[in-house]
């Protein structure tokens, strides 16, 4: 009965205050429920946090699921993936703030078994698209094992900076900005995005 309420309130508190700085009392107060009700809904703060990461992480993966197998050039497939990520994280900015607070760089191997497996899977998909683009001559030659995590790192850093700008985030403008940087890095120009 209180599951969704606690989930939403905890996501808000974790995004604004940080996981370590928040308590079960904070979560109960935000949700307007008693501690007893909170503990009946979730056994502990770690359980709520893990569920937020699992649910939102699955949503993020679903948002980009079709990019790898989409029709089109390598850069067109990268664009589909970037747009999916940007749209999802603009819609779920609190989740993105939680990820940033973890201090985990997207270009590096994350902590936790599930996160590591998702990261490896996503990295393998990016790597495959990069190899296709190099083979087709669209992407400059390079080491795909280094370029794939670089793509992730650029996406994280630029998305964080662009979401912090004043006003309502525009997913299309944010995507164009990130894709321009990726095109310059991977192709030597933005001409492939036209």
């Amino acid at each position: 009965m209180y599951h969704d309420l606690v989930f939403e309130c905890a996501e808000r508190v974790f995004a604004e205050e940080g996981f370590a700085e928040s308590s079960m009392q904070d979560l109960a107060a935000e949700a307007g429920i008693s501690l007893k009700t909170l503990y009946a809904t979730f056994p502990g703060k770690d359980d709520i946090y893990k569920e937020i990461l699992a649910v939102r992480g699955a949503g993020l993966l679903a948002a980009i699921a079709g990019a790898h197998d989409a029709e089109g050039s390598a850069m067109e497939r990268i664009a589909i993936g970037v747009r999916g990520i940007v749209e999802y994280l603009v819609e779920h900015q609190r989740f993105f703030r939680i990820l940033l607070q973890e201090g985990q760089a997207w270009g590096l191997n994350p902590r936790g078994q599930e996160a590591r497996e998702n990261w490896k899977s996503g990295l393998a998909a990016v790597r495959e698209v990069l190899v296709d683009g190099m083979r087709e001559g669209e992407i400059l030659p390079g080491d795909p094992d280094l370029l794939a995590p670089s793509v992730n790192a650029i996406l994280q850093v630029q998305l964080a900076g662009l979401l912090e700008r004043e006003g309502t985030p525009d997913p299309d403008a944010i995507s164009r900005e990130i894709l321009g940087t990726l095109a310059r890095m991977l192709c030597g120009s933005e001409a492939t995005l036209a």
Side-chain angles (χ1 to χ4, degrees):
M1 176 173 174
Y2 292 101
H3 182 275
D4 293 346
L5 173 66
V6 171
F7 183 99
E8 293 298 324
C9 291
E11 188 176 40
R12 184 171 39 255
V13 170
F14 293 155
E16 293 171 6
E17 305 299 327
F19 174 77
E21 292 77 17
S22 61
S23 67
M24 288 294 273
Q25 291 86 353
D26 296 331
L27 302 179
E30 181 72 19
I33 59 176
S34 69
L35 268 176
K36 181 179 177 180
T37 301
L38 178 58
Y39 278 110
T41 308
F42 284 96
K45 187 171 81 163
D46 286 343
D47 299 291
I48 303 168
Y49 189 74
K50 287 176 185 174
E51 180 157 339
I52 290 169
L53 294 180
V55 169
R56 295 295 189 224
L60 181 58
L61 290 175
I64 61 172
H68 177 265
D69 298 323
E71 295 291 321
S73 71
M75 287 306 294
E76 288 169 339
R77 291 185 286 160
I78 288 171
I80 292 168
V82 166
R83 287 185 186 106
I85 290 168
V86 169
E87 288 171 5
Y88 187 82
L89 293 177
V90 164
E91 182 179 345
H92 301 284
Q93 289 182 49
R94 290 182 181 127
F95 172 61
F96 186 53
R97 284 192 179 87
I98 291 169
L99 293 178
L100 292 175
Q101 287 175 3
E102 280 192 341
Q104 183 64 52
W106 290 1
L108 304 175
N109 200 353
R111 297 177 301 271
Q113 184 64 29
E114 185 176 346
R116 192 172 298 114
E117 293 305 316
N118 288 341
W119 179 79
K120 286 180 181 178
S121 173
L123 210 57
V126 172
R127 183 192 185 286
E128 188 175 326
V129 171
L130 293 171
V131 168
D132 289 348
M134 288 177 205
R135 187 175 45 253
E136 296 163 1
E138 180 183 20
I139 293 177
L140 298 170
D143 183 344
D145 292 324
L146 294 176
L147 287 174
S150 297
V151 167
N152 285 357
I154 286 170
L155 182 61
Q156 180 188 26
V157 170
Q158 287 204 328
L159 186 56
L162 292 167
L163 282 177
E164 290 302 317
R165 291 186 178 168
E166 292 291 321
T168 303
D170 177 356
D172 291 329
I174 292 171
S175 295
R176 280 192 306 275
E177 184 74 27
I178 292 169
L179 288 167
T181 299
L182 291 175
R184 288 188 297 277
M185 178 183 86
L186 298 172
C187 307
S189 73
E190 294 184 40
T192 58
L193 296 174

